[in-house]
Structure formats: structure tokens, C-alpha cells
Amino acid sequence: MHIDYAKPGLQVMIGMRTSDVLAVEINVYEPQQPIPTSQTSKFEMSQEQLGRLKSAYQKECIAHDPAQPATHLLMQSQANRLGLFWGYGPDGRLMQIAKRTNKPIIQLESLDQQINALRPRSQVEFDAQLNSSLKSFEHGVLSSHLATLAKAWQRNDLQTFIKDTEQMNAQFPDFARRINDERNVLMARKIDDLHTEGKRIFVAVGATHMTGTHGIPKLLEEKGYTVTFVPLRNDNGQ
């Protein structure tokens, strides 16, 4: 994220101060089970795909890394060009604050679970995702899409994320089910368990986990919780 987003606002800090624990997708301070290299990708790129990927890497002045998902470095490079860096992300910043204030950090899933959800299940799915990502980069869509999501996050524009999730569901339904729906069920269950233990929780997860009929807020409502959307204000109260 952008450096301007690194400092949490007043409402977020109030939520942090009045909570007992911080719950995040992955706790970067907690040792994770190493992912075997053989599991990173068992699918192969065609010569045409490999040529397009190498050309894209050359344009971005980045080196090919077989251990990375095929287009991960492209997305990271495009985000960096927009001034968006993981180190400025709100979840990372909140974890730093929690560490300094001795607030427990609980992860809602393991790194292995997250990577397994991201991993294509077939050569057909792998090809479809790779071709879509390469086309988005080649036509400049990837950069504009990242910029749109960043602005939506800054404006607290949930509708843009709802639309983005719907598009992913339509284009890659199996992937969308794994990356959002199935993970949301597990995370909502863990949030419920923490509440049952009497803990006040501040939960920080990706925006796409908050949308749709299988979003975490909806799943918590089905468990009997009252969920209220809170419009965020800037430091001037606007």
C-alpha cells in the first residue's frame, strides 16, 4: 500500500486499543510450515506463454524467479510503480502496533492453507489464469486495475470491491470459491470461536473477504452477530 495509508486513522486505533487480540490472515511473526518447492507449481508454460512472460519481465526490469508464481512479480512491480508497497500495508502496520503494545496476534489461517487456495487445480485453470494476467499486463489493464482498487480502498468504497469480486466469480468461479468462499468459512468460524472465549477482537483481512453472500460479515450474521458497516472518516472528522 501507499505510505499515506501506513498510519491508521483515529477510528481504527480506537478499535485496536479497545480489543484484546488482533486477528489477521497470516501472522508474519509466527513460524510457518515451509512449502515444498515441488508444490509451488506442477503445471508447465507453453513456449508462447514463456516468451510473453520473459518479455514482460524485461519491460519491468525484473529477473525470472521459478520459485514465484508466474505473474506474482509482475503484479508486485506494477504495484510498486504506483507507490504501493507491502511494507505500508495496513495489516503489517497493525501487527507492528500489536507487537509494540504486547497485544496477542492470532492468525486466522496458515500460510500453507492460503497458498493451497491460490494454487491452480488443473493445467486448464493454470493456462486461463496465466493468459488472463499476461493480457492484462500487455494491455495496461493490470496497472489501472490496481490503481482503481487502491483508490476504492482509500475512499472506503465497498461497492467497487463487490463488483470486482463478482467479476472474479464470473471469470474464475472455482478459483473464486477457493480463494474467498471456502477461506471465509474457516476464518468466520475462528472469529466466532475467539468471541465465544470472551475475547474482544480486532480483525484485519483483505477487502474482498468482506463482500458477497459468502463474505465474513454475512457468515457472522448467520451465526447470530449484528454486523454494522461503519463509514470511515479522515482525521478532520469528514
Side-chain angles (χ1 to χ4, degrees), residues 30-80:
E30 183 174 317
Q32 302 292 328
Q33 186 71 25
I35 305 300
T37 305
S38 60
Q39 292 186 19
T40 54
S41 179
K42 59 183 179 181
F43 306 110
E44 296 183 355
M45 284 183 279
S46 67
Q47 289 301 311
E48 185 263 345
Q49 290 170 329
L50 184 59
R52 291 170 67 192
L53 185 63
K54 288 182 176 179
S55 176
Y57 281 171
Q58 289 176 350
K59 290 179 181 178
E60 289 297 289
C61 299
I62 54 180
H64 177 65
D65 182 357
Q68 294 279 0
T71 56
H72 174 77
L73 293 177
L74 286 180
M75 182 176 295
Q76 179 177 302
S77 178
Q78 292 281 282
N80 291 350

Side-chain angles (χ1 to χ4, degrees), residues 173-196:
D174 292 339
F175 176 75
R177 185 183 65 253
R178 292 198 312 271
I179 199 64
N180 273 329
D181 299 356
E182 293 178 1
R183 291 169 62 210
N184 289 346
V185 170
L186 298 177
M187 288 194 279
R189 185 181 302 158
K190 193 156 188 178
I191 292 169
D192 180 42
D193 289 343
L194 290 170
H195 272 291
T196 301

Side-chain angles (χ1 to χ4, degrees), residues 24-36 86 95 105-116 190:
V24 294
E25 293 178 35
I26 302 294
N27 180 5
V28 298
Y29 296 104
E30 183 174 317
Q32 302 292 328
Q33 186 71 25
I35 305 300
W86 181 89
M95 279 186 269
I105 304 172
I106 297 177
Q107 66 177 27
L108 299 173
E109 62 182 350
S110 68
L111 180 61
D112 181 62
Q113 287 175 316
Q114 189 174 99
I115 291 179
N116 186 57
K190 193 156 188 178

Side-chain angles (χ1 to χ4, degrees), residues 140-151:
V141 176
L142 177 58
S143 179
S144 62
H145 181 63
L146 291 172
T148 296
L149 293 181
K151 290 178 181 177

